[in-house]
C-alpha cells in the first residue's frame, strides 16, 4: 500500500505569533486522555511507541466478543461470521457508493531530490488524465480485439453464426408504427442529440445555483468524448459490413462495428443515471435512473430493427460506453465514504456499541503542532494549512519537519512533551504511521492531511484528498477513537500500523516501485510493479488465530487489515473497519488463469465470499478472509514485508494484534 518517502535531514521549526487578545477562542473540550471505564475500553499501555511505556507487549485487552459469539477464547472465523460485526462509528460502505471526492488525484511521493510540483491540483489533474489515457488505450485494444474476433475466427461459431437470421427476423417484423417509434428512439443516440444533451447537462451542472458540480460535469463530458474517440479507432481497425437487409436509414461511411449511436447513448444517459443515483436525493431518483439506463438499450434495439447494425455491434456499443463510464468514473468520481456521525453529543467507546453523552467535539485550547514531510509539502501547502487552522481558531501553531532519519515519531513526541492539544500530520501513509506510533494511547487528537501517494488512512476515514479541504473537514468534525494494529517478527521490532500490514506480493510490489516512478505516476506505478511480481513463487504458511488450532495454507500474499479500502475505491478487505476492535486477514492464493479470474471477481464483488457454517477446515479458496484479535503467521521461506506501504526487513514470522481505540483522530461529519 503506497506511502510517502521520508523527508530531508535538516529539521526546522516555524512558530507563529501567540494568540492575541482578539484571537477567537478555540472550541473547548474535555480531556480525551482520561482513562475510560474498565467495562468500556481497555487501557493501552506498556507498548513500544507509547510515551512512558516499554517495548513489552501490553496485556491482552478484554475486548467484547462480537454479537453471537460466546465468551472465552476466540475461534478464528471465516467472514462472514454468524453474528456479524459489532456496530461501529464508521458505517458500512454500500457497494458502488461514492462521494464527490476525486480518487486518483493525490500527488506522488516526494523522494529526496525530487522536483516539487507547484500545485497539488494541477498534479492531481495531470495524474488523473494519465490514468484515463492509459486505461483508454487498453479499452481500445480490447474493443478492437473483440471486433477482429467477431469478424474472423468466431464469425461461423454459434451464436454469431445466427446473427443473419436475427437481422432477417427483425426486417420481417417491421410495421409502420414500429418504424416511426424506432426512428424517434434512434435519434436519441444521434451525434447531434448526444452532443447537445452533453453540453446542456454540463451547463446545468455548472450553472444551477443549488448544484454546482464541476467534477461531475467533467466526468460526463470526458466519458462521452472518450467513447467517441475509442469508437473512431475501432471503426478504422475493424472492417465489418452492415446487415444484408433493407436499411431504413442512410448508411454512414463507418464500419458496422461498433454501434456508435448505442455507445454514445450509453455514455450520456447511463452517465446521467450514475450522477442521479449518487448525487440526487429522494425516492424519484431510482425511477429517473432506471429510465435513463433503459434509453441506451432502446437505442440499440432501434438500430438493429432499422437494419443498421448486427446484434453484436449493439453489444459492442454498450460495452464501449460502459467501459468509458467506468474508467472516467474511477478517475474522477470514486472517493472515500464519510463515516456516519454518532448522535449529538455522543461518542462511542472503542470495541463496544455503547455511547456516552458529553463527549468532546473538537481539540481543546492550546498549542497546535503541524508535522509535515517537506518533500511533499512546499511553502504554499504550509501556508494553506496555516490559513485553514487560523480560520478555525488555531493561532498558536508550530511546524515541525520530518527527516530521512526520523519520519515523524520524534517530532510527535516533542509535540506531546510541549503539551500540544492537537497534532496535524501532512504527508503520506508512512508519515501518518510514524506520528500515530507516538500518539498511540495518549488521547491527543490527530488531524490527517493527505499529501502522499496512497493516503489510505485518509480514504478510509472519509476525508477529502485535497489537503486544505481534508483539514477543514477534520476540524469541523468530531474526535473518534480508532484501532491500531501492532506487529512484530524476526528482525522486525514491535511497531504499529494504521491501515494494513502484509507479506508476499504486496510487499514485493512496494519494494519494486522506484521513487522516481512514484513521483511521476503516483499510485498507478505500483500496478506496473505488481505485474512484474505475479510470477513470484508462492509459499506455504502456518496460521494460528486467537489461540485456535493452526491452519496450513499456501499463499502469494497475506494482508492484515485494520481498514479495507485502497486506491480507486477498491474494497480489498471489504469487512475491515478501523473501529471494531478486530483485525482482518486476507490470504490470496490463486492457481492458474482460472484461479486469478476467480480472485479478481471476488475482489471486485466488494464483499467477502460466504463460507458454509463458518467452518475453518473447508478447502482453501483463491481469496480467503478471517477476523481475529491476535494472529501468529509462520512462513516456510523468508517473505518481503510491509507496514502501511513502507517495505521493512524480510522474514519468516509475523505476529499481529489489535489495540482497540488506541488512536484518536478527527473525522468529518456526514456530507463533508
Amino acid at each position: 500500500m503506497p506511502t510517502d518517502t521520508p523527508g530531508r535531514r535538516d529539521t526546522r521549526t516555524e512558530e507563529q505569533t501567540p494568540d492575541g487578545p482578539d484571537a477567537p477562542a478555540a472550541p473547548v473540550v474535555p480531556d480525551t486522555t482520561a482513562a475510560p471505564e474498565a467495562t468500556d475500553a481497555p487501557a493501552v499501555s506498556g507498548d513500544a511507541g507509547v510515551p512512558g511505556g516499554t517495548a513489552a507487549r501490553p496485556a491482552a485487552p478484554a475486548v467484547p466478543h462480537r454479537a453471537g459469539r460466546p465468551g472465552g477464547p476466540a475461534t478464528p472465523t471465516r467472514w462472514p461470521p454468524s453474528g456479524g460485526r459489532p456496530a461501529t462509528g464508521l458505517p458500512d460502505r454500500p457497494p458502488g457508493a461514492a462521494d464527490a471526492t476525486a480518487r486518483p488525484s493525490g500527488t506522488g511521493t516526494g523522494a529526496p531530490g525530487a522536483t516539487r510540483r507547484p500545485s497539488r491540483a494541477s498534479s492531481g489533474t495531470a495524474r488523473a488524465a494519465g490514468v484515463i489515457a492509459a486505461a483508454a488505450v487498453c479499452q481500445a485494444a480490447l474493443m478492437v480485439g473483440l471486433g477482429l474476433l467477431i469478424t474472423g475466427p468466431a464469425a461461423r461459431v454459434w451464436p454469431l453464426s445466427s446473427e443473419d437470421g436475427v437481422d432477417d427476423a427483425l426486417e420481417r417484423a417491421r410495421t409502420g408504427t414500429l418504424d416511426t417509434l424506432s426512428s424517434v428512439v434512434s435519434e436519441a443516440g444521434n451525434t447531434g442529440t448526444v452532443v447537445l444533451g452533453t453540453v446542456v447537462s454540463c451547463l446545468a451542472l455548472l450553472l444551477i445555483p443549488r448544484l454546482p458540480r464541476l467534477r461531475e460535469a467533467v466526468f460526463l463530458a470526458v466519458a462521452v468524448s472518450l467513447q467517441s474517440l475509442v469508437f473512431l479507432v475501432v471503426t478504422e481497425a475493424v472492417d465489418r459490413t452492415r446487415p444484408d437487409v433493407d436499411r431504413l436509414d442512410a448508411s454512414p461511411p463507418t464500419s458496422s462495428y461498433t454501434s456508435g449511436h448505442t455507445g454514445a447513448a450509453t455514455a450520456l444517459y447511463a452517465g446521467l443515471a450514475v450522477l442521479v443515483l449518487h448525487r440526487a436525493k429522494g425516492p424519484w431518483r431510482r425511477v429517473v435512473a432506471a429510465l435513463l439506463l433503459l434509453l441506451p438499450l432502446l437505442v440499440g434495439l432501434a438500430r438493429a430493427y432499422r437494419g443498421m447494425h448486427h446484434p453484436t455491434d449493439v453489444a459492442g456499443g454498450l460495452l464501449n460506453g460502459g467501459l468509458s463510464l467506468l474508467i472516467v468514473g474511477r478517475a474522477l468520481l470514486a472517493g472515500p465514504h464519510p463515516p456516519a456521525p454518532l448522535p449529538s453529543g455522543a461518542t462511542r467507546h472503542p470495541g463496544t456499541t455503547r455511547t456516552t453523552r458529553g463527549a468532546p467535539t473538537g481539540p481543546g485550547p492550546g498549542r497546535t503542532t503541524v508535522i509535515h514531510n517537506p518533500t511533499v509539502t512546499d511553502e504554499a501547502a504550509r501556508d494553506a494549512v496555516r490559513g485553514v487552522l487560523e480560520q478555525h481558531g488555531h493561532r498558536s501553531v508550530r511546524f515541525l519537519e520530518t527527516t530521512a532519519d526520523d519520519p515523524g515519531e520524534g517530532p510527535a513526541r516533542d509535540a506531546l512533551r510541549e503539551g500540544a492539544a492537537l497534532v496535524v500530520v501532512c504527508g503520506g501513509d508512512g508519515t501518518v504511521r510514524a506520528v500515530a506510533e507516538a500518539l498511540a494511547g495518549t488521547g491527543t487528537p490527530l488531524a490527517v492531511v493527505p499529501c502522499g501517494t496512497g493516503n489510505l488512512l485518509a480514504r478510509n476515514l472519509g476525508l477529502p484528498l485535497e489537503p486544505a479541504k481534508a483539514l477543514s473537514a477534520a476540524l469541523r468534525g468530531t474526535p473518534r477513537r480508532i484501532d491500531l494494529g501492532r506487529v512484530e517478527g524476526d528482525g522486525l521490532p514491535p511497531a504499529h500500523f494504521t491501515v494494513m500490514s502484509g507479506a508476499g506480493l504486496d510487499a514485493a510490489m512496494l519494494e519494486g516501485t522506484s521513487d522516481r516512478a512514484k513521483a511521476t505516476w503516483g499510485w498507478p506505478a505500483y500496478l506496473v510493479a505488481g505485474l512484474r511480481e505475479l510470477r513470484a513463487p508462492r509459499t506455504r504458511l502456518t496460521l494460528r488465530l486467537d489461540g485456535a488450532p493452526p491452519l496450513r495454507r499456501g499463499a502469494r500474499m497475506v494482508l492484515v487489515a485494520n481498514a479495507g479500502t485502497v486506491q480507486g475505491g477498491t474494497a480489498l478487505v471489504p469487512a475491515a473497519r478501523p473501529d471494531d476492535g478486530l483485525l482482518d486477514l486476507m490470504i490470496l492464493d490463486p492457481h492458474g488463469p482460472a484461479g486469478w479470474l476467480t480472485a479478481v471477481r471476488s475482489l471486485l464483488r466488494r464483499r467477502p465470499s460466504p463460507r458454509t457454517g463458518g467452518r475453518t477446515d473447508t478447502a482453501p479458496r483463491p481469496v480467503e478472509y478471517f477476523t481475529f484479535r491476535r494472529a501468529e503467521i509462520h512462513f516456510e521461506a523468508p517473505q518481503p514485508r510491509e507496514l502501511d506501504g513502507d517495505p521493512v526487513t524480510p522474514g519468516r514470522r509475523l505476529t499481529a494484534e489489535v489495540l482497540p481505540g488506541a488512536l484518536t483522530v478527527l473525522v468529518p461529519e456526514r456530507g463533508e
Side-chain angles (χ1 to χ4, degrees), residues 231-243:
F231 164 75
L232 293 176
V233 172
V234 172
T235 55
E236 287 295 324
V238 181
D239 184 17
R240 190 182 198 189
T241 59
R242 296 188 181 272

Side-chain angles (χ1 to χ4, degrees), residues 108-459:
T109 59
T115 302
R116 295 181 183 176
R117 285 168 294 279
S119 166
R120 279 186 57 86
S122 61
S123 173
T125 301
R127 188 163 293 109
V131 171
I132 293 174
V137 172
C138 298
Q139 176 185 349
L142 173 64
M143 298 303 303
V144 169
L146 290 175
L148 296 176
L149 181 65
I150 290 171
T151 58
R156 294 179 177 83
V157 178
W158 191 89
L160 298 182
S161 60
S162 64
E163 280 198 300
D164 290 340
V166 175
D167 297 333
D168 293 337
L170 290 174
E171 183 183 28
R172 291 193 300 269
R174 290 176 183 171
T175 65
T177 302
L178 290 178
D179 290 352
T180 302
L181 288 175
S182 66
S183 177
V184 173
V185 173
S186 179
E187 282 299 313
N190 194 23
T191 300
T193 305
V194 171
V195 170
L196 179 61
T198 303
V199 171
V200 171
S201 300
C202 291
L203 289 176
L205 288 167
L206 293 174
L207 300 180
I208 294 179
R210 293 185 61 185
L211 288 179
R213 299 281 188 175
L214 175 61
R215 186 174 288 114
E216 285 78 357
V218 174
F219 156 74
L220 195 62
V222 174
V224 173
S225 301
L226 176 60
Q227 182 281 145
S228 300
L229 179 62
V230 174
F231 164 75
L232 293 176
V233 172
V234 172
T235 55
E236 287 295 324
V238 181
D239 184 17
R240 190 182 198 189
T241 59
R242 296 188 181 272
D244 187 18
V245 297
D246 182 25
R247 302 181 200 115
L248 299 182
D249 295 324
S251 298
T254 56
S255 169
S256 180
Y257 176 88
T258 63
S259 172
H261 281 62
T262 306
T266 302
L268 174 59
Y269 303 119
L272 289 173
V274 169
L275 296 182
V276 168
L277 286 173
H278 286 262
R279 300 294 183 259
K281 298 180 181 179
W284 56 267
R285 66 189 182 97
R286 296 184 180 276
V287 176
V288 173
L291 294 175
L292 288 169
L293 290 172
L294 183 62
L295 268 176
L297 299 176
L298 294 177
V299 169
L301 179 60
R303 297 301 288 171
Y305 171 85
R306 299 181 69 79
M308 303 308 297
H309 294 286
H310 303 279
T312 48
D313 302 333
V314 172
L318 291 170
L319 179 61
N320 187 29
L323 287 175
S324 299
L325 289 174
L326 178 63
I327 290 170
V328 180
R330 281 293 187 185
L332 299 181
L333 292 186
H337 313 284
L342 294 173
S344 177
T347 186
R348 194 179 304 282
H349 288 275
T352 74
T353 58
R354 289 186 53 190
T355 60
T356 57
R357 298 286 170 176
T361 57
R367 181 185 296 276
T368 297
T369 300
V370 178
I371 300 171
H372 65 98
N373 184 335
T375 63
V376 292
T377 53
D378 55 17
E379 185 175 355
R382 294 196 298 273
D383 289 341
V385 168
R386 183 184 294 109
V388 173
L389 288 169
E390 288 180 351
Q391 291 173 7
H392 289 80
H394 298 268
R395 298 187 180 275
S396 180
V397 181
R398 184 185 183 195
F399 284 77
L400 298 177
E401 289 187 356
T402 64
T403 67
D405 296 327
D406 190 341
E409 186 175 353
R413 293 193 187 283
D414 291 342
L416 291 174
R417 282 193 295 268
E418 295 173 4
L422 171 67
V423 174
V424 179
V425 56
C426 303
D429 292 309
T431 306
V432 173
R433 187 189 70 81
V435 173
E437 187 88 35
L439 297 185
T442 66
T444 301
L446 175 68
V448 178
V449 180
C451 297
T453 304
N455 304 313
L456 295 185
L457 182 60
R459 296 173 190 270

Side-chain angles (χ1 to χ4, degrees), residues 14-28:
E14 301 177 38
E15 187 162 15
Q16 288 189 247
T17 305
D19 295 346
D22 298 327
V28 178

